[in-house]
Amino acid sequence: MRSPGGLPGRTQLLTPIPDSMRKQEVWTGGEAGQGHGTGSPAEQVKALVDLLAGKGGQGPQALQTPNRTSESPLGPQSKDLRIQRHREALLSRAGGSLEQGSPSPRLTSLLLVEGLTDLQLKEHDFTQVEATRGDPRPARTVSLDQLFLPLSRVSIPPRISITIGVAGMGKTTLVRNFIHLWARGQVGKDFSLVLPLTFRDLNTYEKLSADRLVHSVFPHVSGESGLEAAALSKSLLILDGLDECKMPLDFSSTAACTDPKKEIPVDHLITNIIRGNLCPEVSVWVTSRPSVAGQIPGGLVDRMTEIRGFNEEEIKVCLEQMFPEDQTLSGWALSQMQADRALYLMCTVPAFCQLAGSALGHVGRNGLGPQDAELWPPRTLCELYSWYFRAALGGEGQEKGRTSPCIQQVAHGGRKMVGTLGRLAFHGLIRKKYVFYEPDLKAFGVDLPLLQGTLCSCFLRREDTPASSAAYCFTHLSLQEFAAAAYYYSASKRAIFDLFTEGGVSWPRLGFLTHFRSAAQRAMQMEDGRLDVFLRFLSGLLSPRVNALLAGSLLAQGEHWGYRAQVAELLQGCLRPDVAVCARVVNVLHCLHELQHTELARSVEEAMASGDLARLTAPPHRAALAYLLQVSDACTQEANLSLFLSKSVFQSLLPQLLYCRSLRLDGNQFQDPGMELLGSMLSGKDCRVQRISLAENKIGNKGAKALARSLLVNRSLTALDLRSNSIGPQGAKALADALKRNRTLASLRPPPCPHSLQSNTIRDDGTRSVAEALAANRTLSALHLQKNTIGPRGAQCMADALKQNRSLKELMFSSNSIGDGGAQALAEALKVNQGLESLDLQSNSISDAGVAALMGALCANRTLLSLNLRENSISPEGAQDLARGLCTNSVLRNLDLTANLLHDQGAQAIAVAMRENCALTSLHLQWNFIQAGAAEALGQALQHNRSLTSLDLQENAIGDEGASAVASALKANTALTALYLQVASIGAPGAQALGEALAVNRTLEILDLRGNAIGVAGAKALANALKVNASLRRLNLQENSLGMDGAICVATALSGNHGLQYINLQGNHISESGVRMISEAIKTNAPSCTVEM
């Protein structure tokens, strides 16, 4: 296998690609290419057979493996010399020596998956990557050295293991890495023998026996059965590339065979080995593309793993290895990939990443011609592959010694390639044939000498097999599809009969459009989607940009104009009003994109942005929406379909909604039947939804039960929002029962929405059910139960659960009626619980007795960071308990006492505590009947406190005297960053005191004085402060009777202030002309400052 690293010159630009495109991964260090000095693969295999048969290493054909002496560091010396030689021979075939580096980390840690999903079984590889956005399924990982070991003490090693990965993901390279490491004694130490075979090799046999199969890999001295030798020691049989098997495996009708010496068809042999009828003591490892792996019944598979794709860092490393001599070029290629999200997403497939890098590297090295500038960068798959084709043509010309091949020669080479390889590719595609042998090439009239050219070698790769017959395969499946589409495009203009008909005999079909319609119909009828990408390329060849790219070499200049509009109409006619928008229909939108006919998708995207989706419900609009859910940047983080989906539209989109990470479906009036549909979606093995919001959908207890059933099996959902529905106690019980078993749901509060089960009338009975679940659940971290008519009994149940639960971090209990009894129960729980960080008890009729209990708990609790006691009935006596708690507690960060009955006496007690408290950072005392006396006490506390960063005193009549006291503290305080003094009866004197403080203070960033009466004099004082203050970022002077003069003073002062980012001057009796003038002045004086007038 060649390294994709060095690309020393233009003539060699594409030479690394063919050998590594189809089964690609980068050998680290100098591994790549080390096997080339040992002769051809056929010679190596013959030497291996001779060696293991006891003929030694004599003769020129012997395998040339270094360090075969007893000092060879291959691990412990085997008692059987033949096994030792087998290890060394495999190491030589792998092309590595002992000093070389380790394989890619991506191939040493596989995903442990539970069977195949519908997406993997039924869809094209590209569709799988696009639908899942290249993200692997959430799964555990298993390292390569533990791949065949038990996963627990009570389990047994797997006999049948399957590793899946889409085309180009690196399955064969994984196998080669494993063989390389096993031969060095680093993995698979339990196996004495590893017997590697590829289906590409097995295809050369018509019949085989089990004994002959093993003997072909591990021959013995005369008289000894290879199968018996394998049975004597623990052996692993590797079958690489099931998707390349020429006959599908049929486990339902293949006859059983237990005779190891009986020769039977190869597919029957493999079926019986997997069943255990043959070689039952041998472990079997199969690699395959996902769709073909489904041929093996799940009941026979003991372990299934999956190779993950490249992450962002690995894409970058791949490009750096492709262009090691020019890091600037690799960086430029990466930026070009990232410019198109859809193409960059496909680069998670290593082979595609190399193909794209090759095309981009060619342009980066050679630059763009005058006519090419408008065609760059590539926006579609067909455009990218057209650039790759042009790069291959450039390599062909340079190989023949021409710096610039003439257009006639280029055109001839391109058309000849399409006429030969394209026909082979097309018929292979419709027959599911991806490996070809010399008889196949001859049958399709492929000129073998033509395959030696650079152009063909960039598409087709030759490999020798043990049977001494060459095998050919396209360097990547997508290149076979591109060549097939190019052939079909060319042939359909002159073909009389249907090109899809095997014998070429069918009803006459004349004209390109007739043949295109036939291709579209065939693609739509294919349940496995294997013609999807072929149809995309066929559509793309009609786009103006692709025509300009390939004009003169593969296409005739301007020939697309006669067909493009009619093909677009034909494709849109495929968007039929089916029950569900399936992948075939979404692929039609991909075809329209390739055709550069994007009006339909753009209209739906604009409606999504403007919130006007409700008027677009026709089948074509649904298909376009499903397409956008896959490719739109806006839908990547969250698909907002609120106030849009009817039940029928929702049902039609279900297959595509499966793969959205975050769904907002608020206000769609789904009711309970809609939840049955949603539950079926969430129960699917394919489901990737992580967050879902279902607020205001009239969901009752039946709908909640449907969701609960899905939560029993769902493994992706982490956040669920059901606020403002009517699930009631029964619905709450169903969800709670599901939570006892669900291990992924972490929040009944999907961000950014601050609610979840709010307003669902679950009452005390429903709360009891939720509490029982919480006691057993170990993953839920946030639970919101606002406005659910929960009383003291429900609070007691929740408190009992909190004594056992350790995972819950946030509990919102606001707007219920738990009273002092409920608060006391929760307080007892807080003495025990050491996990809860945020507790919201707003508006719960809690008075002094409840507060006393809570503060007593805070003396013992060491985890609670935020406590909300807004809108309760806390008096000055309760404030005394609050103060004692603050003096003791050193953990609480946020305390909200808004809208209680503290008065000056209570606020003064809290102020005294703040002198000692060193933990609280945010204190809300809004609307507590506080006056100047308490403000003075708080001001004195601020002169000593070094932790408080936010103080809220709004809607308290502290007046100028109180404002002055706080201002005096600001001259010394260096911690406070936000001060809220809205509607605090502050006039000009108070504003002047604050202005003097701002001239000195260097930490305050937010000052809110809305709804006071500071007037012109106060405005002038603050303006003078702004001239020297550098810390303030936001200033609110709304409704302060500034008048025109005061506003001008502030606006003028901003010319010397470069820190203010926001100022509000609304409601200050300024005329429209004055507003315009002041706004312009602020924009001129402080262009970075946002002004609201």
Side-chain angles (χ1 to χ4, degrees):
M1 178 177 178
R2 299 179 192 167
S3 167
L7 299 176
R10 183 176 178 184
T11 58
Q12 297 180 1
L13 174 65
L14 295 172
T15 53
I17 302 304
D19 284 342
S20 58
M21 185 68 70
R22 183 173 179 84
K23 307 289 185 182
Q24 97 85 37
E25 183 56 66
V26 178
W27 289 90
T28 59
E31 285 181 7
Q34 292 296 314
H36 294 305
T38 62
S40 70
E43 293 170 340
Q44 293 183 39
V45 171
K46 184 177 184 302
L48 171 64
V49 172
D50 292 343
L51 175 67
L52 296 179
K55 298 179 182 179
Q58 293 81 15
Q61 300 300 325
L63 290 172
Q64 301 170 17
T65 305
N67 300 326
R68 290 190 182 178
T69 65
S70 59
E71 292 79 22
S72 175
L74 284 167
Q77 289 292 327
S78 172
K79 294 180 180 179
D80 188 337
L81 181 59
R82 290 162 299 172
I83 293 179
Q84 175 66 12
R85 288 177 176 175
H86 180 58
R87 287 177 178 264
E88 294 176 344
L90 288 179
L91 186 60
S92 176
R93 289 174 62 190
S97 67
L98 303 179
E99 290 77 27
Q100 291 163 345
S102 301
S104 163
R106 188 180 69 87
L107 297 180
T108 58
S109 181
L110 304 180
L111 301 174
L112 196 64
V113 296
E114 298 178 2
L116 297 164
T117 67
D118 289 342
L119 180 71
Q120 291 173 321
L121 286 169
K122 298 178 181 179
E123 303 302 342
H124 190 284
D125 290 10
F126 272 27
T127 303
Q128 294 177 37
V129 177
E130 289 165 342
T132 60
R133 296 176 175 84
D135 292 333
R137 282 186 278 173
R140 296 185 333 184
T141 59
V142 58
S143 61
L144 202 57
D145 60 342
Q146 295 181 324
L147 187 57
F148 304 103
L149 297 179
L151 295 180
S152 67
R153 294 181 179 179
V154 296
S155 61
I156 61 175
R159 178 177 176 268
I160 304 297
S161 301
I162 298 180
T163 296
I164 58 172
V166 299
M169 194 59 82
K171 299 180 290 297
T172 293
T173 306
L174 169 68
V175 169
R176 290 173 179 168
N177 284 341
F178 179 87
I179 295 169
H180 178 88
L181 294 172
W182 175 81
R184 297 172 63 179
Q186 295 179 359
V187 299
K189 297 178 182 178
D190 288 351
F191 296 118
S192 299
L193 280 177
V194 170
L195 312 172
L197 283 168
T198 71
F199 281 94
R200 195 172 299 174
D201 300 336
L202 291 173
N203 287 342
T204 61
Y205 299 95
E206 290 298 326
K207 290 186 175 182
L208 269 177
S209 66
D211 183 65
R212 185 179 166 203
L213 174 76
V214 175
H215 194 276
S216 68
V217 187
F218 187 71
H220 283 67
V221 293
S222 60
E224 186 177 2
S225 165
L227 188 60
E228 291 172 356
L232 291 175
S233 47
K234 191 170 182 183
S235 303
L236 172 67
L237 175 63
I238 302 176
L239 300 172
D240 181 32
L242 176 60
D243 46 287
E244 295 178 346
C245 184
K246 65 180 179 181
M247 294 295 292
L249 304 184
D250 186 354
F251 284 82
S252 61
S253 59
T254 298
C257 176
T258 57
D259 183 357
K261 296 184 179 295
K262 182 179 180 180
E263 295 207 349
I264 56 178
V266 172
D267 56 306
H268 291 198
L269 174 65
I270 300 303
T271 300
N272 276 283
I273 289 176
I274 293 175
R275 276 180 175 168
N277 297 330
L278 293 170
C279 309
E281 67 288 333
V282 175
S283 298
V284 182
W285 182 22
V286 182
T287 68
S288 174
R289 288 168 53 201
S291 57
V292 183
Q295 293 178 7
I296 303 177
L300 297 177
V301 179
D302 301 308
R303 182 168 299 172
M304 182 171 287
T305 53
E306 183 174 355
I307 305 176
R308 68 167 178 84
F310 275 165
N311 56 33
E312 292 187 5
E313 180 61 28
E314 288 165 334
I315 292 175
K316 179 181 177 183
V317 170
C318 177
L319 293 174
E320 290 173 349
Q321 291 175 333
M322 289 183 70
F323 313 115
E325 79 291 350
D326 191 347
Q327 293 303 302
T328 302
L329 177 60
S330 66
W332 177 84
L334 179 63
S335 66
Q336 296 296 305
M337 285 181 177
Q338 293 172 332
D340 189 295
R341 197 185 76 84
L343 293 180
Y344 185 59
L345 183 148
M346 290 305 305
C347 288
T348 57
V349 179
F352 185 94
C353 183
Q354 279 202 325
L355 186 147
S358 178
L360 294 169
H362 175 79
V363 174
R365 279 200 173 110
N366 300 286
L368 294 168
Q371 297 178 341
D372 293 339
E374 295 181 359
L375 305 177
W376 188 264
R379 301 172 184 168
T380 67
L381 273 178
C382 197
E383 287 181 29
L384 178 64
Y385 282 64
S386 298
W387 280 104
Y388 180 82
F389 182 77
R390 283 183 50 163
L393 285 179
E396 176 90 351
Q398 286 202 0
E399 186 182 70
K400 295 178 180 178
R402 300 187 299 269
T403 56
S404 180
C406 68
I407 192 68
Q408 291 84 1
Q409 293 167 324
V410 169
H412 176 72
R415 284 193 292 269
K416 192 171 183 181
M417 190 281 289
V418 170
T420 54
L421 297 190
R423 185 164 178 258
L424 181 73
F426 174 70
H427 287 283
L429 193 63
I430 61 177
R431 296 177 185 177
K432 296 186 179 180
K433 189 176 181 66
Y434 309 110
V435 180
F436 308 93
Y437 301 88
E438 289 187 6
D440 300 314
L441 271 59
K442 292 177 180 178
F444 287 102
V446 176
D447 187 7
L448 293 180
L450 179 69
L451 301 180
Q452 307 305 316
T454 300
L455 178 59
C456 285
S457 67
C458 289
F459 281 78
L460 202 67
R461 178 162 56 97
R462 181 183 189 274
E463 287 188 3
D464 290 318
T465 66
S468 299
S469 61
Y472 297 85
C473 58
F474 284 85
T475 52
H476 188 250
L477 172 62
S478 59
L479 284 173
Q480 181 174 350
E481 292 164 321
F482 178 77
Y487 162 77
Y488 191 89
Y489 178 89
S490 175
S492 62
K493 296 174 190 174
R494 59 182 183 275
I496 300 175
F497 298 105
D498 186 1
L499 293 168
F500 283 92
T501 304
E502 286 292 331
V505 179
S506 67
W507 289 103
R509 294 180 183 274
L510 298 176
F512 174 80
L513 290 173
T514 303
H515 287 284
F516 187 95
R517 182 181 293 106
S518 175
Q521 290 171 347
R522 296 268 184 167
M524 294 292 290
Q525 292 166 2
M526 290 286 180
E527 293 184 359
D528 59 2
R530 75 174 179 275
L531 294 181
D532 281 1
V533 175
F534 162 80
L535 188 62
R536 291 192 204 179
F537 283 134
L538 185 59
S539 303
L541 290 170
L542 291 167
S543 79
R545 287 165 62 90
V546 170
N547 183 267
L549 277 168
L550 299 180
S553 59
L554 199 58
L555 307 177
Q557 181 73 43
E559 64 180 350
H560 64 288
W561 292 117
Y563 308 118
R564 183 169 174 266
Q566 293 168 290
V567 166
E569 184 178 352
L570 188 155
L571 287 171
Q572 291 184 92
C574 295
L575 303 177
R576 298 184 300 272
D578 294 329
V579 175
V581 181
C582 64
R584 304 290 82 71
V585 174
V586 174
N587 191 63
V588 172
L589 270 296
H590 281 287
C591 292
L592 289 170
H593 177 68
E594 295 287 338
L595 191 63
Q596 294 180 19
H597 188 89
T598 58
E599 290 81 357
L600 176 61
R602 190 163 58 246
S603 66
V604 174
E605 190 168 28
E606 291 171 354
M608 286 184 70
S610 62
D612 196 23
L613 268 178
R615 63 181 178 83
L616 302 178
T617 58
H621 296 132
R622 301 182 193 182
L625 178 57
Y627 165 76
L628 290 170
L629 289 175
Q630 282 189 11
V631 304
S632 170
D633 289 332
C635 296
T636 300
Q637 297 303 320
E638 180 179 75
N640 189 349
L641 302 178
S642 299
L643 303 171
F644 160 64
L645 296 180
S646 63
K647 180 183 175 183
S648 61
V649 175
F650 177 52
Q651 185 173 7
S652 69
L653 288 175
L654 278 178
Q656 307 308 319
L657 294 176
L658 271 170
Y659 309 108
C660 295
R661 294 178 187 171
S662 180
L663 281 174
R664 184 171 291 278
L665 305 175
D666 302 338
N668 281 306
Q669 312 301 310
F670 285 149
Q671 301 182 352
D672 292 344
M675 292 305 98
E676 294 285 350
L677 292 172
L678 182 63
S680 67
M681 182 190 84
L682 293 175
S683 301
K685 192 181 291 185
D686 285 326
C687 184
R688 300 295 183 94
V689 179
Q690 297 176 8
R691 299 178 297 276
I692 189 166
S693 178
L694 295 166
E696 301 175 15
N697 270 294
K698 297 185 178 179
I699 303 169
N701 67 79
K702 290 184 179 179
K705 290 176 181 178
L707 286 173
R709 287 193 294 272
S710 70
L711 290 178
L712 293 175
V713 295
N714 180 277
R715 292 295 179 267
S716 66
L717 198 67
T718 60
L720 174 64
D721 180 7
L722 288 171
R723 60 187 162 92
S724 300
N725 285 290
S726 305
I727 68 171
Q730 292 182 359
K733 184 180 187 305
L735 289 170
D737 290 341
L739 285 177
K740 293 177 183 177
R741 295 175 58 184
N742 183 283
R743 291 294 179 266
T744 58
L745 195 66
S747 171
L748 285 171
R749 175 194 55 85
C753 177
H755 309 290
S756 91
L757 294 179
Q758 174 186 351
S759 304
N760 267 285
T761 328
I762 68 172
R763 301 190 178 91
D764 287 344
D765 290 341
T767 306
R768 182 180 66 250
S769 300
V770 174
E772 290 173 358
L774 194 62
N777 185 280
R778 293 294 179 268
T779 58
L780 198 68
S781 61
L783 177 61
H784 286 200
L785 296 172
Q786 310 97 301
K787 299 182 180 179
N788 271 297
T789 324
I790 302 171
R793 187 162 59 91
Q796 180 65 61
C797 294
M798 188 58 61
D800 293 341
L802 287 176
K803 292 177 182 179
Q804 303 177 55
N805 182 278
R806 294 293 181 272
S807 67
L808 198 69
K809 303 299 181 186
E810 178 181 349
L811 176 61
M812 289 193 71
F813 236 64
S814 61
S815 301
N816 286 294
S817 305
I818 69 170
D820 287 339
Q824 290 167 346
L826 290 170
E828 290 301 312
L830 287 177
K831 294 178 181 179
V832 178
N833 181 285
Q834 297 299 323
L836 197 68
E837 297 177 357
S838 177
L839 178 61
D840 187 340
L841 298 176
Q842 174 181 346
S843 189
N844 263 291
S845 303
I846 299 172
S847 64
D848 295 341
V851 169
L854 288 169
M855 290 305 103
L858 285 186
C859 296
N861 184 279
R862 290 293 177 267
T863 61
L864 197 68
L865 303 176
S866 178
L867 178 62
N868 185 353
L869 293 172
R870 294 170 64 104
E871 300 171 17
N872 282 290
S873 302
I874 305 171
S875 72
E877 288 73 20
Q880 298 291 336
D881 292 310
L882 282 167
R884 284 190 286 271
L886 290 175
C887 288
T888 306
N889 183 278
S890 59
V891 178
L892 195 69
R893 298 289 183 267
N894 305 296
L895 178 61
D896 193 339
L897 298 172
T898 297
N900 279 284
L901 306 168
L902 300 185
H903 296 279
D904 269 13
Q905 182 182 351
Q908 286 169 342
I910 292 173
V912 172
M914 290 306 299
R915 292 190 178 195
E916 299 182 29
N917 184 282
C918 298
L920 205 67
T921 60
S922 176
L923 178 61
H924 292 265
L925 296 173
Q926 174 187 357
W927 198 12
N928 262 289
F929 307 100
I930 296 173
Q931 297 183 357
E936 290 178 4
L938 287 167
Q940 293 172 4
L942 286 176
Q943 295 188 34
H944 298 87
N945 184 280
R946 293 296 179 267
S947 66
L948 198 67
T949 59
S950 177
L951 177 61
D952 185 353
L953 293 174
Q954 60 181 308
E955 298 186 86
N956 287 293
I958 65 172
D960 292 331
E961 187 177 350
S964 298
V966 174
S968 179
L970 288 178
K971 295 179 180 179
N973 183 281
T974 57
L976 201 69
T977 59
L979 178 60
Y980 300 94
L981 297 173
Q982 302 99 304
V983 196
S985 304
I986 299 172
Q992 290 168 345
L994 288 169
E996 293 174 4
L998 287 177
V1000 179
N1001 184 278
R1002 294 293 179 268
T1003 56
L1004 196 69
E1005 297 178 1
I1006 301 173
L1007 177 60
D1008 195 332
L1009 291 170
R1010 174 173 53 88
N1012 287 289
I1014 68 172
V1016 177
K1020 288 182 179 179
L1022 291 174
N1024 290 331
L1026 289 176
K1027 294 177 182 178
V1028 295
N1029 181 279
S1031 66
L1032 203 65
R1033 298 291 179 264
R1034 299 178 65 88
L1035 177 61
N1036 191 342
L1037 297 178
Q1038 183 180 354
E1039 299 172 6
N1040 261 284
S1041 304
L1042 302 186
M1044 187 70 173
D1045 292 341
I1048 290 175
C1049 289
V1050 173
T1052 304
L1054 292 181
S1055 61
N1057 185 293
H1058 302 290
L1060 201 67
Q1061 299 171 353
Y1062 170 86
I1063 187 168
N1064 192 327
L1065 298 174
Q1066 292 177 323
N1068 277 293
H1069 310 295
I1070 305 171
S1071 64
E1072 291 185 10
S1073 59
V1075 167
R1076 286 193 297 270
M1077 182 182 71
I1078 294 171
S1079 296
E1080 289 299 324
I1082 293 178
K1083 288 180 182 179
T1084 302
N1085 294 335
S1088 61
C1089 182
T1090 300
V1091 59
E1092 290 192 33
M1093 292 288 292

